[in-house]
Amino acid sequence: MAGKVFFSVSMSLDGFVAPEPVPVEDELFAPEKQDDPDVQRWMAQWSELQQWLFPLRFMRENLKLGEGGEEGRDNDIARETFERTGASVMGKRMFDLGEPSWPEEAPFHTPVFVVTHTKRDPWERTGGTTFHFVNDGIEAALDQAREAAGDRDVRIAGGGATILEYLNAGLVDEFSIALSPVLLGAGTRLFDGVDASKVALEPVRSEPSPRVTHLTYAVHKR
């Protein structure tokens, strides 16, 4: 039985999943750019948005940061999200930002299908992550991800534009938001451009934690 297609993101209280882009976005993590005030602003806002993840035991394990870390419901949710995922799909923009910054053992540990117009051979990393570059659209990438995932779920990893494209195409079964008590004021809005005439949501679960509120919805055609 095929698994679900889902996405799981952190979102600010005013609806943003990433800070406002900076002029040097393609080289955001380059060492020579770290003193740029725009880059420092972006990194500070992104870190604030994701701050619920950093102390978790699961994150420390997955990123090879050493022993220790917090347990509890936040940690359980992060681990459950990872364990349900049999393959991931992402857009070229997310891949381009991540490629220079992910460690050699990339944190996905599954096949990842990158939606792109760039032709490139698969890029295999240690720890089970192989990036496959799909040149014929979001449905082709999802078909390949479903096959690779087997009976596990496929995660649409991001970024926001790619998530929205899958949502508007009716290809998402479920999503979870970690609603963070942060106001960004500007950036990438998760639902900016959503086709509300086609998307209906059913609340599945709401769980508060000391740092965020976890919201899960099933997606249906309207």
Side-chain angles (χ1 to χ4, degrees):
M1 181 177 178
K4 294 179 179 178
V5 178
F6 79 104
F7 65 85
S8 178
V9 295
S10 300
M11 186 173 78
S12 69
L13 202 58
D14 51 348
F16 298 102
V17 293
E20 190 173 19
V22 299
V24 295
E25 184 177 1
D26 290 343
E27 302 174 355
L28 189 63
F29 298 104
E32 65 272 17
K33 300 296 183 181
Q34 298 312 296
D35 292 332
D36 186 303
D38 288 331
V39 172
Q40 292 180 341
R41 171 192 57 78
W42 193 97
M43 292 296 295
Q45 289 183 320
W46 183 84
S47 296
E48 190 176 14
L49 181 65
Q50 305 291 348
Q51 64 181 341
W52 71 278
L53 282 168
F54 299 139
L56 302 183
R57 182 183 186 90
F58 168 74
M59 292 301 294
R60 293 188 59 82
E61 291 173 356
N62 194 34
L63 295 175
K64 308 299 183 186
L65 298 177
E67 297 181 356
E70 296 181 6
E71 300 192 17
R73 189 59 185 139
D74 282 341
N75 190 66
D76 292 344
I77 288 172
R79 189 180 298 278
E80 289 164 6
T81 300
F82 174 83
E83 290 177 347
R84 70 183 284 192
T85 302
S88 296
V89 176
M90 69 176 59
K92 179 66 159 50
R93 181 178 174 187
M94 180 176 178
F95 176 79
D96 285 345
L97 285 174
E99 183 177 13
S101 60
W102 287 318
E104 182 177 353
E105 186 170 325
F108 301 96
H109 305 289
T110 66
V112 179
F113 297 86
V114 182
V115 182
T116 177
H117 295 296
T118 302
K119 295 186 181 299
R120 178 171 169 178
D121 291 334
W123 186 42
E124 185 174 352
R125 312 299 288 157
T126 59
T129 301
T130 299
F131 294 92
H132 303 269
F133 302 90
V134 183
N135 306 132
D136 42 0
I138 62 170
E139 293 194 25
L142 181 56
D143 287 344
Q144 292 182 46
R146 283 187 188 276
E147 184 175 357
D151 59 359
R152 295 167 71 192
D153 296 337
V154 174
R155 182 180 183 184
I156 310 302
T162 300
I163 287 173
L164 188 64
E165 196 171 358
Y166 276 97
L167 187 61
N168 281 340
L171 298 173
V172 174
D173 301 309
E174 182 181 285
F175 67 83
S176 296
I177 292 171
L179 190 62
S180 180
V182 174
L183 297 174
L184 295 185
T188 301
R189 286 193 182 276
L190 179 59
F191 297 115
D192 190 13
V194 68
D195 189 345
S197 68
K198 295 181 179 179
V199 179
L201 303 180
E202 175 190 352
V204 173
R205 187 168 54 251
S206 175
E207 296 184 61
S209 79
R211 290 192 176 90
V212 294
T213 300
H214 299 278
L215 304 171
T216 302
Y217 299 91
V219 181
H220 304 290
K221 292 182 180 179
R222 187 183 292 277

